[in-house]
Amino acid sequence: MVGRSVTSRDLVLGRLRAALAGTPPDPVPVPRDYRRTADADLDQLAQRLTDYRAYVHRITEVAVADTIADILPAGGTVVVPPGLPSAWLPATVTALPDDGLDHARIGAADAVVTAAAVAVAQTGTVVLDGSPDQGRRVLSLLPDLHVCVVRADQVVATVPEALARLTPQRPLTWISGPSATSDIELIRVEGVHGPRRLHILLLP
C-alpha cells in the first residue's frame, strides 16, 4: 500500500505541534501603562459627533421636549423604552412604549428616543447598555431617526474610563454617528444597518 505523500500543510502542522509540545510557556505580561484618564471635554464630544454627521443640541433638560418637537414632525410616532422620563416627550408626538413591540412596528415608527449609559469625548462615541431608559438593542437599530439624551456627568474622556463604568455582561451598543457604510468605490451610504439620522441632546 502506497503511503500518502506529505503535504505542505502536514509540515506546517507538524512544526506547530512540535513547538507547542512540552510545558507551555509563561504568559507574556501585557503593559497597561497607557493613559486611562483625562479631563472630559463636552466641546470635544460635540465636535467628534458633528464630524460623524450627527446633530448635536446643547440644551438644558427642561428644553428636551421642545427640542424633540422641533426635530420630529407633529403627529409623528416615537418608540420609547419603558424607563424613559415622560417629561422628555412633547405632546405633539405619539409615544409607542416598548412593551414587546414587534419589529415591524418599531421599524415603521418615525423615531426612537433613548437615554445613554456613557459617552466618550475623544472618540465621539455614545454607549447604550440596555437599561430601562435605553431599552432593547433593536430599538436603536430599526427606526430611521434616533434621538439620544446624554448628560454631562455621563461623559468621560477615554475608552478605558467608559469601560470602567460599563458592565460587560450587558448588551452594549456603541454608536459613533448615524449608521453608515461604503462600497468598494468608497461611496458613503447611510442607514443601511441602523438609523440614518442621529440627534444627540447634550445636557449640562
Side-chain angles (χ1 to χ4, degrees):
M1 180 177 178
V2 179
R4 184 174 66 87
S5 60
V6 177
T7 65
S8 297
R9 178 178 182 274
D10 296 328
L11 290 174
V12 171
L13 291 177
R15 290 171 183 169
L16 288 173
R17 292 188 188 99
L20 295 174
T23 305
D26 294 332
V28 177
V30 178
R32 304 289 185 183
D33 55 353
Y34 48 80
R35 186 174 64 174
R36 292 173 175 268
T37 62
D39 293 333
D41 188 335
L42 298 185
D43 292 333
Q44 184 182 46
L45 174 64
Q47 182 60 55
R48 292 285 191 273
L49 288 165
T50 302
D51 290 342
Y52 292 142
R53 301 191 184 182
Y55 300 92
V56 179
H57 308 261
R58 304 286 292 270
I59 59 174
T60 61
E61 186 162 2
V62 295
V64 169
D66 288 341
T67 304
I68 292 176
D70 291 338
I71 295 170
L72 296 174
T77 56
V78 180
V79 176
V80 295
L84 192 81
S86 59
W88 287 358
L89 297 177
T92 55
V93 302
T94 300
L96 297 176
D98 180 33
D99 54 3
L101 295 172
D102 60 40
H103 290 182
R105 293 194 70 191
I106 296 172
D110 294 300
V112 60
V113 178
T114 73
V118 66
V120 186
Q122 290 183 354
T123 62
T125 304
V126 176
V127 187
L128 280 58
D129 69 357
S131 292
D133 58 359
Q134 298 154 56
R136 297 182 289 160
R137 186 195 301 270
V138 69
L139 301 188
S140 64
L141 296 178
L142 293 183
D144 185 64
L145 167 63
H146 182 186
V147 179
C148 185
V149 182
V150 179
R151 301 178 186 276
D153 60 6
Q154 295 175 312
V155 178
V156 297
T158 66
V159 171
E161 289 177 277
L163 291 173
R165 292 194 181 195
L166 297 167
T167 303
Q169 291 76 22
R170 297 192 65 83
L172 303 178
T173 303
W174 297 66
I175 302 169
S176 295
S179 167
T181 189
S182 62
D183 60 18
I184 195 171
E185 296 179 348
L186 300 181
I187 298 175
R188 180 183 173 98
V189 180
E190 297 179 346
V192 175
H193 43 67
R196 185 168 51 89
R197 293 174 293 158
L198 174 65
H199 287 255
I200 302 296
L201 278 52
L202 186 54
L203 310 185

